[in-house]
Structures are given as C-alpha cells and as structure tokens.
Amino acid sequence: MASRSAKSGAATSADTSDRISSVLQEHRAFAPPASFRARAHVSSARQLASLRAEAEADPVAFWQERAKELAWFRPWKKVLDWKHPHARWFVGGTTNASVNCLDRHLGGWRRTKAALIWEGEMGEVRTMTYQQLHGQVCKAANALLKLGVQRGDVVAIYMGMVPETVIAMLACARIGATHNVIFGGFSSEAVRERINDSGAVVLITQDAAVRRGSIVELKSAADVAVKKCPSIRHMLVLSRCGVQVTMKRGRDLWWHDVVDGASPVNEPAQLDSEHPLFILYTSGSTGKPKGILHTTGGYLTQVAYTTRMVFDLQEDDVYFCTADVGWITGHSYVVYGPLMNGATVMIYEGVPNYPAPDRMWDIVERHAVSVFYTAPTAIRSFMKAGQAWPERHDLSSLRLLGTVGEPINPEAWMWYHSVIGKGRCPIVDTWWQTETGAIMISPLPGATTTRPGTATVPLPGIVADVVRKDGTSCGPNEGGLLVIKHPWPSMLRTIHGNDERYKAAYWSEFPKGRRHPGWYFTGDGARRDRYGNIWIIGRVDDVVNVSGHRLGTAEIESALVSDPRVAEAAVVARPDDIKGNALVAFVTVKVGVKASGALAESLRQHVGKEIGPIAKPDEIRFTDALPKTRSGKIMRRLLREIVTSGSATGDVTTLEDSGVLERLRSIEEE
Ligand code: WT7
C-alpha cells in the first residue's frame, strides 16, 4: 500500500497495483472572509450552489452560456460534438484568440489600461497598454506573414520571459499559426525533438536570456538544435542581451529588422473554433514527450471563465502568475486568461530569489500586486528562506493567493496564508493539467470553505470523480483514481501526430463499454473526504512531479542509457522538502566501467544536456543489478520503497533475483 504521511508534505507516487490509501486528515477550515466576499463575483456558497445546479442540469448548455462571453465572428451551429474520445466544441463557430485578448478591449477605456507590466531581472520595467500590445502583435503578425508563415503552420518559440514572447504567441494566434512554446531551460536536444515532432517552419528565439544575474545563450543552443531540423525555414531572433551571435544568411533575421518596421495594422484570421491554437509538449510515462494539442474556441471559453471566477478578477487588479510561459500555466494564466479578461498582468523575467530571497515580495510591493499565483515548491523555498524576507515588505495590496502544480502540504499552505496573506487572503488551490488546458478543481474564493491541502471540489461544468479500478465510485476517504466523466471545453483534442497514443494514455483505463460511457483518466490518485473535497495523492504512473513539473522517468532513463558507459537505468522519486520530489537514478554500468563520483556527476551533466537541468537526477546510485520481474520488467515500486523508507516490504514474490534487494538496500548507506 502506498501511503503518505501527514508530515512529509510531498506526494509520493502511488502504486497502480494496489488500492491507494492516504492517511492525511486535515481538520482546519477557512471560510471566505466577509471583506473578500463583499465584492466577489460569486460571493456565497448559495450562489455557487445555484451555478453548480445549472451546470449539473446541462453541462453543455452551461458552457454555451460561457462561450457567449467571447467575441465570435460567426456563431456556432452545435455546442458539442462528442465522438468518444474526440470532442469538437462550438462547431461551426469562428473566432480568434488575439482578438479576444486585445482588439476586444480597444473600443473603450481599457485601450489605455496596462496590459503587461514587465520587470526584467536586472530591475528594468516596461509597461504596455492594451493598445500598444495590440500594435506590437499586429506588427509581429505581419512579419510572420512576410516570412511565409501560413494558417495551420507551426511556429516554435524558444524564449525567456520577455514581453516579446507574449507578443510572438499572440501574433501566431492572430494569423492562425499554431505555436509550440519550448521552455527556455530546455537543452538543444529537447528543442530539436520538439521542433521535429511538431514540424515547425519558423523558430522564434532570442540572443540570450537573463537568469540569476548571468546570461544563458539561447540562439547558440537553437543553432545546435536546428542543425537537424529540416522543417525550419527561418529563425527570428530578438536581441535581449546584446550578445554576439551568428546569424545564418537567408535563414536568420533580427526581430528589430522585421518586426519593428512592419505595419501595425493586421486583419485577424477568422478561425474555426477547432483550429489548433497550440501544441505544448509534456512528459508521459513512456517514450518521448507528448505534443498536447489545444484548439481555439473551447480552450478560450474555459480559460477566460476560470480566470475570472477562480481569481475573482476585478478591473483594478494587478495579477501576477509566476509561471514561465514554457508551461501550460504560462499559456492559460499568464497570457490567454488574464488578457481575455482585460487584466493588468505582471510578468517577471528572472528567478524568484535573485538578487535576494525577497524579490517576489519586492515586486508585490512596488507594483501593488493584488492576485498572486505560484507553485508549492516556490512557497516551500520562500518558507525556507525565512519570514523575515516578506516581513520587510508592505504586502497589503494582496487580496488573493493561488497555488498549482502539485499537492500543497498543509504546513506550506498555512505559511502562505498567515505570512504572505496575513490571514486576510483566501487561497485557491487549483488542480488541472497540461491536458485539461484550464483549471478543473478549485475553490471559488468568495464562496468555498477551504482546507489546507485540498483543491476542494470540481468547478461548475466539470464532472470529476474518484473511482475504483472497476469504475465504481469510491466511498469517503477511500483512495482511488481521479477521472473526468464528461468532456470539457478546454480538453486536449489529441496528441499531435499520434492519436493512438492519445487513446492509450487517457482513454484506455476506463474504456467505453457496458459499465460506463468511457472516461478520461487523469493519471492521478485521489480521495474524497466526507465533505466531498478531493485530495490529490499523486501520480499513479511512472511520471514524477518535480518542482511542480511533470517529468517522465522513461525519458530520463533513456537519456541515461544513451551514455555509452551505462547498461541500464531506473529512475524513481523520493520525497523532498522543497521540490516535492527528488529524482534518484539507479544505474548499472557496462563491464569494464568503474562506478565513481565523477561518473555520477558526468551522467547528471549528460541528462542536463539531453533534456535540461530540471531533469538532472539528484542522486545516482550505482548497482550491479536492478530488481526485475521474470518477464524482465523493472520493479520500480520496490525502488520507490527503497528510496522512501529504506527497505522494500511489499510483495517481492515476482522478483527474479531476490538477492538484488539486499544489495540495493546496502548501497544507499555507502
Ligand atoms: C499534474 C499536472 C496544471 C499546471 C501545472 C502542472 C499535479 C497540478 C495540482 C494541485 C495537486 C496537482 C497533478 C496533475 N497537480 N496541480 N493543485 N494539487 N496536484 O501541469 O505538468 O500538466 O502536471 O500536476 O499530479 O496531474 P502538468
């Protein structure tokens, strides 16, 4: 039985073969403060209940009402076309994401409202109004058209957190190009793999990014990547740092040469509701990263709605989500959601603890941030740095706090609530995934009683449940699998270029059949408490959550065995106070290779090069054999137990060589 202690605070991967149980019980409860409720969009449990009743009576009609809040060129003919497991939302409707984020606000006073407030790591600040951002997006759109980018083409974006990244995304959306944002921390190899899988024709990048006071070269990494990317025709390069780069004639162009002089007038493309808006790669339990495909109308509908409701956005908010645009949170809740709502979005370029651990609080104070959305791993690192840092700052502008990415341990929740929120600010713990596109389970801050550690209940319009393997619903506090039982507007449509994998990864656990109509399986284990709150226990597959980001252990293992000295590798997670999980790699070396500290370090570097620094194992343990079943499958469950508790006590009868366990236990004491 996989279990989780109330104190550890970190999610451990639960085992699929057993029932999942969780011993965590949390009794503290926080009702929305009256001062917050006074002007909240949804200001009472009763109001939320009636919204929920409306959605339960007819989820499709409920989402249709939400879609009407967007700007459409042509209305839809049918709200939902569901042919399991493929959904089409707002069929026949045409719209444009950049129009919804920008043009829509230009008719009134929001034209001169700040859309983006950007702060560079070195302290420079740039503010752009909706009108200015619109002008920049139109110029970039015209530049892309001039480079030959056509509707339906894929454009890769490999950049840091600068306003031009947002501009590039919206410019793609404007002309109907599908963007593929690749996190700026990824290595050349990872960039190449994503470009080739998506078939991108243009790569937008920058000379270098600023990070922790130094410079990270992106253009040179992009150069290495595109050496084997036959689909790339042009690279568009922003000069952010003024560093020397090589520009390949005919292929590479400077942003300032082609964008700055372009016309600020651009007629937006009228795109089908199901037009692909973006592909974003995420890790899976097997093989290479999955290109999650999101389309336009449904995605925008749910993202706009959830941003307004969950963050209770008000016209005068300064909204700050600390996520990088390289992840789904950056797509939905830095760019599309807040801009569709006409919000003022704070964007910060660098790392949260540079030059000192109070950088975030300094930003909150100077820019009067009112809504702050971050990840548990960041909260734990703020905690570790000590409360003296936030105490130096006036945080009275804050009115709402949010978290996402992994289960938040109650201790971190309480710290966030008291030290940052001063007990005044509700906390929205939001559960969702790259695949879900938008928030699915979350409190509404003016209406929901929160408890530290739970994302509470599904939002109106979302039908989620915790079920047993046979599909029956679990009882109170019984661990099970989290499923979504009804299609939702912002759901992924497929895995780019691999619909079979889409079906296998999400729809094979609870297939369409006699017992049920086929459900989406999230990959998460969860339990419901007696109030109906959903508590996420962790992933049940071979995916680990490190610092709020999903990493596929298979991917890291394949990077490890690509080193000629390595024979076999198995990667598992162990709980970590700050990162949630740390990665432990068990490695066997080839005959004649000597295991050493130097080899371990060189393997860590190798993984960094193959995937990126986030995937580097925290620990490498050399062993002469890995525990396997007789059919040759590595028993990761045993390795997980070894790294978590120091011994493997579960069922070991299927083990091929029982002596292996004894030897594995002893290596960790070395
Ligand atoms: C996985 C999705 C969605 C943006 C960030 C991560 C875990 C996410 C929570 C939460 C408990 C959470 C789940 C999920 N997760 N939010 N509030 N409480 N767990 O996106 O990389 O697609 O990862 O993150 O395990 O399945 P992602």
Side-chain angles (χ1 to χ4, degrees):
M1 290 272 244
S3 70
R4 182 184 162 200
S5 91
K7 284 257 173 311
S8 86
T12 53
S13 305
D15 198 80
T16 27
S17 58
D18 298 323
R19 278 263 193 85
I20 301 155
S21 80
S22 168
V23 297
L24 181 84
Q25 299 286 340
E26 176 59 57
H27 298 293
R28 287 168 290 201
F30 297 84
S35 56
F36 188 92
R37 286 173 48 194
R39 69 169 197 168
H41 294 307
V42 177
S43 59
S44 68
R46 218 177 45 193
Q47 202 187 338
L48 176 54
S50 87
L51 210 55
R52 184 158 280 128
E54 179 198 335
E56 273 166 18
D58 190 345
V60 173
F62 175 84
W63 286 116
Q64 156 147 280
E65 287 312 302
R66 313 285 92 79
K68 287 179 184 166
E69 291 156 23
L70 297 185
W72 296 81
F73 297 111
R74 198 175 70 206
W76 52 89
K77 294 199 179 72
K78 192 175 178 193
V79 183
L80 170 63
D81 176 43
W82 176 237
K83 291 197 180 73
H84 177 276
H86 295 109
R88 293 195 301 149
W89 282 87
F90 310 114
V91 183
T94 59
T95 184
N96 183 294
S98 91
V99 169
N100 275 289
C101 290
L102 303 169
D103 306 49
R104 212 159 46 126
H105 308 307
L106 302 186
W109 68 273
R110 271 189 193 156
R111 191 170 41 127
T112 54
K113 177 176 176 175
L116 299 182
I117 302 175
W118 173 83
E119 183 165 308
E121 200 188 65
M122 298 179 290
E124 61 278 55
V125 173
R126 279 167 70 190
T127 302
M128 248 183 247
T129 65
Y130 272 93
Q131 170 138 350
Q132 290 168 330
L133 183 59
H134 175 263
Q136 292 298 317
V137 168
C138 288
K139 285 183 176 203
N142 286 326
L144 290 175
L145 289 172
K146 215 166 177 179
L147 292 183
V149 178
Q150 289 178 6
R151 192 180 284 204
D153 282 347
V154 175
V155 172
I157 300 175
Y158 178 52
M159 299 177 80
M161 288 295 281
V162 289
E164 284 77 7
T165 311
V166 178
I167 294 167
M169 290 165 76
L170 293 171
C172 289
R174 194 163 187 90
I175 64 172
T178 301
H179 58 69
N180 167 19
V181 181
I182 303 170
F183 174 55
F186 277 135
S187 68
S188 305
E189 313 294 326
V191 174
R192 175 184 300 156
E193 185 174 26
R194 284 159 177 76
I195 289 177
N196 285 337
D197 189 81
S198 68
V201 297
V202 167
L203 171 61
I204 309 181
T205 187
Q206 58 192 67
D207 55 350
V210 181
R211 199 185 150 80
R212 205 177 295 286
S214 54
I215 275 184
V216 182
E217 288 185 13
L218 292 184
K219 171 66 165 82
S220 61
D223 286 338
V224 174
V226 301
K227 268 192 196 141
K228 289 186 200 140
C229 296
S231 60
I232 291 290
R233 297 198 290 258
H234 289 291
M235 257 206 253
L236 187 55
V237 187
L238 175 80
S239 173
R240 158 71 184 110
C241 301
V243 303
Q244 199 75 55
V245 298
T246 40
M247 297 289 280
K248 187 170 166 186
R249 274 187 83 163
R251 185 193 68 184
D252 301 353
L253 300 139
W254 285 110
W255 178 283
H256 53 256
D257 286 339
V258 297
V259 177
D260 289 2
S263 160
V265 179
N266 176 277
E267 197 57 44
Q270 304 197 2
L271 302 168
D272 190 274
S273 177
E274 284 300 328
H275 188 80
L277 179 60
F278 63 86
I279 298 168
L280 182 62
Y281 285 82
T282 188
S283 300
S285 52
T286 52
K288 55 179 193 159
K290 304 182 280 196
I292 304 301
L293 179 78
H294 282 288
T295 59
T296 308
Y299 173 81
L300 295 178
T301 298
Q302 192 174 332
V303 168
Y305 178 66
T306 52
T307 308
R308 187 167 75 255
M309 299 310 250
V310 172
F311 301 109
D312 187 53
L313 269 193
Q314 305 288 339
E315 201 62 75
D316 55 356
D317 274 323
V318 176
Y319 168 94
F320 183 18
C321 165
T322 65
D324 190 284
V325 287
W327 310 112
I328 189 68
T329 310
H331 285 59
S332 303
Y333 298 107
V334 174
V335 181
Y336 291 109
L339 293 178
M340 276 190 283
N341 281 287
T344 293
V345 184
M346 179 77 222
I347 294 182
Y348 169 61
E349 179 182 41
V351 295
N353 55 1
Y354 185 87
D358 62 346
R359 183 61 184 262
M360 291 293 124
W361 320 126
D362 186 42
I363 290 177
V364 167
E365 179 174 12
R366 277 185 294 104
H367 298 281
V369 170
S370 54
V371 179
F372 184 73
Y373 188 31
T374 195
T377 183
I379 298 167
R380 289 190 295 264
S381 69
F382 300 143
M383 261 175 97
K384 193 176 171 207
Q387 71 185 63
W389 292 104
E391 277 168 1
R392 287 186 187 178
H393 296 275
D394 175 4
L395 304 181
S396 60
S397 58
L398 288 173
R399 61 180 204 92
L400 177 63
L401 303 173
T403 130
V404 62
E406 60 180 304
I408 182 166
N409 47 311
E411 204 188 339
W413 195 102
M414 288 306 299
W415 187 90
Y416 200 27
H417 188 258
S418 58
V419 177
I420 304 305
K422 313 281 184 231
R424 290 180 299 107
C425 306
I427 295 179
V428 285
D429 175 351
T430 62
W431 180 91
W432 57 296
Q433 310 178 294
T434 305
E435 291 87 345
T436 69
I439 296 170
M440 304 287 278
I441 304 175
S442 170
L444 289 193
T448 311
T449 292
T450 57
R451 283 162 207 275
T454 170
T456 72
V457 295
L459 291 175
I462 300 303
V463 187
D465 197 5
V466 179
V467 300
R468 305 184 182 109
K469 288 215 133 191
D470 66 6
T472 53
S473 296
C474 289
N477 291 319
E478 177 187 342
L481 304 172
L482 180 65
V483 295
I484 316 291
K485 292 185 164 178
H486 189 278
W488 63 102
S490 63
M491 66 190 283
L492 78 165
R493 297 305 193 255
T494 189
I495 291 173
H496 176 73
N498 199 345
D499 199 53
E500 287 311 311
R501 192 173 177 197
Y502 166 72
K503 291 176 189 158
Y506 307 109
W507 303 93
S508 64
E509 192 76 26
F510 297 98
K512 187 172 168 164
R514 251 182 323 115
R515 281 193 299 212
H516 48 73
W519 300 325
Y520 171 88
F521 176 43
T522 62
D524 281 357
R527 72 176 169 92
R528 247 188 226 272
D529 66 16
R530 61 196 162 102
Y531 309 100
N533 292 315
I534 294 175
W535 299 74
I536 305 293
I537 302 167
R539 303 287 307 182
V540 299
D541 52 16
D542 289 321
V543 167
V544 293
N545 191 316
V546 176
S547 300
H549 298 301
R550 263 194 293 167
L551 299 171
T553 51
E555 223 180 307
I556 302 166
E557 289 161 4
S558 105
L560 283 166
V561 297
S562 74
D563 184 293
R565 295 166 294 185
V566 172
E568 267 190 317
V571 174
V572 293
R574 98 172 126 66
D576 179 271
D577 283 349
I578 303 284
K579 304 205 298 184
N581 286 294
L583 295 169
V584 181
F586 289 87
V587 170
T588 59
V589 291
K590 287 193 185 143
V591 185
V593 175
K594 201 179 143 20
S596 66
L599 176 60
E601 190 44 36
S602 128
L603 292 178
R604 292 183 69 251
Q605 296 306 329
H606 178 66
V607 174
K609 189 177 148 280
E610 289 291 311
I611 306 173
I614 45 165
K616 279 188 198 169
D618 297 87
E619 216 185 293
I620 291 194
R621 298 190 190 177
F622 292 108
T623 168
D624 63 351
L626 292 168
K628 287 186 189 165
T629 61
R630 260 154 237 154
S631 63
K633 231 177 137 210
I634 295 172
M635 295 178 80
R636 287 191 182 71
R637 174 172 62 84
L638 298 180
L639 295 175
R640 245 178 250 140
E641 282 185 48
I642 287 170
V643 299
T644 335
S645 64
S647 64
T649 51
D651 182 7
V652 294
T653 48
T654 51
L655 199 62
E656 176 216 28
D657 165 12
S658 56
V660 166
L661 270 190
E662 204 39 61
R663 301 199 294 276
L664 282 170
R665 259 194 300 265
S666 56
I667 55 167
E668 116 198 86
E669 282 135 34
E670 276 169 15

